[in-house]
Amino acid sequence: AGRYVYIKAVNKEMYVYSDASQLLPLVFNKEAEIFSSHDNLLAEILRDNNYKITRRPLEVHNELDFTRYEEIQKFNPSMRLRTKDFTYRRIYPRVQLKSASVETVYRSMKTYLNEMVKWLKNNKQPKFVTVTGGIDSRVSASLTRTIDDVEYLTYFMPDAYIKSKLAKSIYAVDRKITTEMKDNLRWNHSIIDLTDIPLSKEELNFYESYYNSKHGYRLDKYYRENKKYYKTLHIKSTVFGMGKADFPAALNAKSSNIDYYKRSVHGINKEFEEHYNLDEEIEKYFMRNLVEPAVTKGRHYFDLYHLESRMGNWHSNLTLETDPETEEFIFTNSRKIIDLIQLPTIDERRKFSLYKEIIKDNWPVLLFFGINESKNLYEQTEDLLQKEYRGLKIIRNRNLDITEKNGDLNILPKSYQISLNNNYNFVI
């Protein structure tokens, strides 16, 4: 569940592997046959040795397997690379997946999770868990309940970096949930606003030259100067997304053809398409990364792409930004666990059933607080009592509205669009 690069030497040949989501990043140049941790560092070495280096047009690049330079490629964590000729061989997925019940999956996972908790208890590094208003970090927090020396941290980005109204509303909900958790749980929990961490002009210029995310600027400074961290173990929850069926409903019916895989590619901003032909670049990405029909072996390509590009590129770049202040640990950063969290049905995954089962078993009070919504269980229960009508008491859930019209009582879904993930029930 940690970060590593594994190099195997066999018969004068070398083979390179990474951890499941490439928490310890690698980039490479095929012509010079050279690896590096950072694209800028590799670009400098290549320039000094008279290799062609072309800066891509956008400021930052985490799409597909892009880096900031055309000649430098990001390593795909689902691959093995042979150094003799710098060719890939796919090592994940390897086995066919079939659906399984939440109970069966958790029974299989529990042994591995228990061993990871045991390892964390014996680990002497200072350690902390980052907590948001979502389900993923709630699972990580629940699994660390019995670890005495763990801290919990919530941080918020400056408002200037939050561009969309949707993102602002998500942050507002996150603030309410995490503040409630801090106020009501007896744990060592800090909530910080990165706006409060000033940056000089010189620091800002340095970070803009090297970093891939703007929140990394202040976070790095907070870890280094405020917390004095060095090789502190950061327990993160990013790879958990693979167990949540985050893809749109239009992609529910899994398919093994390339056109369907193209539609499953996500996380590419509009600026990218101003400079590149997206369809062509996706096809080139598929060729470089050996994406062929049926490559998923029963998985959803949306999830596989999330692992190999969103985690293997975008997220792994973030881990560079707080190194050496922190090391990373993720309970699901293992191909075995990643397979297990994809086994429940799409409906169960969208309801977070497996993750709720883990929390219920380890620290059930964490389920009291809203998950990506501001109302906790108490407030949701208060919402249920709604209407007295001709001596009848009508109790409905919050997905329904009750109105009177012309002497009739109408009980209707609150939203015109019915969601398969919601319950619509009432009791008279």
Side-chain angles (χ1 to χ4, degrees):
R3 63 201 303 239
Y4 59 84
V5 170
Y6 173 55
I7 301 172
K8 184 170 78 171
V10 181
N11 297 330
K12 297 183 180 179
E13 286 197 30
M14 290 172 64
Y15 301 92
V16 181
Y17 305 77
S18 88
D19 61 73
S21 68
Q22 206 186 170
L23 278 179
L24 189 63
L26 273 180
V27 296
F28 63 90
N29 173 270
K30 199 166 184 175
E31 185 186 0
E33 298 184 346
I34 185 171
F35 289 100
S36 177
S37 53
H38 298 66
D39 59 353
N40 275 342
L41 176 61
L42 183 51
E44 286 178 23
I45 292 168
L46 290 170
R47 279 196 204 96
D48 290 347
N49 287 275
N50 300 316
Y51 283 92
K52 181 187 175 187
I53 275 293
T54 313
R55 183 70 166 84
R56 291 189 184 275
L58 297 174
E59 178 187 4
V60 167
H61 276 284
N62 298 304
E63 312 90 353
L64 305 172
D65 56 356
F66 280 18
T67 67
R68 284 170 282 200
Y69 303 92
E70 289 182 13
E71 296 81 7
I72 298 174
Q73 184 179 329
K74 196 70 186 283
F75 188 92
N76 183 326
S78 296
M79 300 294 187
R80 180 208 75 180
L81 192 141
R82 184 168 74 170
T83 59
K84 179 181 178 180
D85 52 8
F86 267 60
T87 55
Y88 269 158
R89 176 184 170 191
R90 184 168 278 278
I91 60 166
Y92 179 84
R94 281 183 291 198
V95 299
Q96 193 74 24
L97 277 197
K98 294 181 180 177
S99 291
S101 70
V102 167
E103 295 74 19
T104 301
V105 173
Y106 185 40
R107 209 162 39 241
S108 298
M109 282 182 71
K110 197 168 179 179
T111 302
Y112 300 106
L113 294 174
N114 288 345
E115 286 301 316
M116 283 187 262
V117 171
K118 192 186 299 181
W119 182 87
L120 285 169
K121 283 182 177 179
N122 292 328
N123 180 273
K124 302 304 178 189
Q125 289 170 273
K127 52 190 76 72
F128 69 99
V129 181
T130 35
V131 177
T132 68
I135 189 76
D136 304 351
S137 63
R138 211 83 57 97
V139 178
S140 295
S142 74
L143 290 166
T144 61
R145 182 179 62 86
T146 57
I147 300 170
D148 294 333
D149 58 343
V150 72
E151 294 181 66
Y152 300 90
L153 172 69
T154 299
Y155 62 84
F156 292 106
M157 286 168 59
D159 287 342
Y161 294 162
I162 308 170
K163 294 179 181 178
S164 72
K165 285 185 179 179
L166 178 61
K168 288 181 192 296
S169 67
I170 290 170
Y171 260 69
V173 170
D174 256 19
R175 281 182 189 273
K176 183 181 186 301
I177 297 167
T178 51
T179 302
E180 271 194 357
M181 293 169 83
K182 176 180 169 63
D183 291 344
N184 288 281
L185 293 169
R186 292 185 176 181
W187 62 357
N188 182 8
H189 184 187
S190 300
I191 298 178
I192 63 164
D193 198 320
L194 296 181
T195 309
D196 299 332
I197 299 167
L199 291 175
S200 67
K201 191 173 182 179
E202 291 76 18
E203 286 174 319
L204 198 58
N205 289 337
F206 169 81
Y207 286 128
E208 284 177 347
S209 300
Y210 289 98
Y211 277 32
N212 275 281
S213 76
K214 291 185 176 180
H215 81 273
Y217 306 174
R218 290 172 168 82
L219 196 59
D220 175 56
K221 188 173 181 179
Y222 173 77
Y223 288 159
R224 189 176 63 253
E225 296 184 7
N226 295 54
K227 299 295 288 184
K228 312 293 183 191
Y229 282 161
Y230 180 75
K231 300 291 184 186
T232 295
L233 196 65
H234 181 184
I235 301 171
K236 302 183 80 172
S237 310
T238 43
V239 185
F240 282 78
M242 295 197 65
K244 289 160 61 177
D246 280 335
F247 40 85
L251 295 173
N252 275 1
K254 283 184 286 189
S255 175
S256 295
N257 66 63
I258 292 294
D259 286 338
Y260 183 83
Y261 292 172
K262 284 182 182 177
R263 290 196 290 126
S264 297
V265 170
H266 55 283
I268 295 178
N269 63 41
K270 290 178 181 177
E271 285 181 304
F272 182 89
E273 295 188 62
E274 292 172 10
H275 299 277
Y276 300 96
N277 181 311
L278 181 58
D279 198 58
E280 285 180 11
E281 295 302 335
I282 291 174
E283 285 186 12
K284 291 177 190 173
Y285 170 83
F286 284 175
M287 287 183 67
R288 287 192 298 270
N289 294 279
L290 310 183
V291 177
E292 299 169 344
V295 70
T296 52
K297 298 187 186 300
R299 295 155 189 80
H300 201 296
Y301 187 72
F302 184 98
D303 292 326
L304 192 61
Y305 178 80
H306 179 78
L307 176 68
E308 296 177 5
S309 180
R310 297 297 289 157
M311 294 294 98
N313 195 355
W314 166 76
H315 175 250
S316 78
N317 281 334
L318 301 190
T319 67
L320 292 172
E321 298 175 1
T322 53
D323 190 341
E325 286 76 31
T326 64
E327 289 283 356
E328 274 74 28
F329 178 98
I330 300 174
F331 284 101
T332 50
N333 190 39
S334 141
R335 294 178 185 97
K336 175 74 175 179
I337 302 291
I338 287 170
D339 272 353
L340 286 170
I341 62 176
Q342 293 176 88
L343 289 177
T345 64
I346 288 175
D347 187 43
E348 293 284 19
R349 289 164 67 188
R350 287 214 164 111
K351 291 191 291 190
F352 315 141
S353 299
L354 172 62
Y355 293 161
K356 286 178 179 176
E357 192 66 25
I358 298 171
I359 298 167
K360 189 173 74 175
D361 194 36
N362 290 279
W363 202 352
V365 72
L366 293 179
L367 291 174
F368 173 81
F369 304 94
I371 296 169
N372 293 328
E373 59 177 306
S374 59
K375 291 185 178 179
N376 59 42
L377 286 184
Y378 175 74
E379 291 166 328
Q380 290 175 32
T381 304
E382 274 197 322
D383 277 355
L384 292 177
L385 295 179
Q386 279 296 311
K387 193 81 177 171
E388 290 275 351
Y389 181 74
R390 297 184 182 177
L392 299 174
K393 180 185 286 184
I394 301 170
I395 302 168
R396 58 87 176 161
N397 74 4
R398 58 201 176 90
N399 296 317
L400 293 168
D401 268 338
I402 301 178
T403 57
E404 287 184 59
K405 189 174 182 181
N406 301 326
D408 292 331
L409 196 68
N410 295 308
I411 305 176
L412 296 168
K414 190 172 284 188
S415 169
Y416 178 76
Q417 186 172 356
I418 301 295
S419 169
L420 295 175
N421 300 323
N422 288 336
N423 291 317
Y424 300 88
N425 52 62
F426 61 93
V427 177
I428 297 177

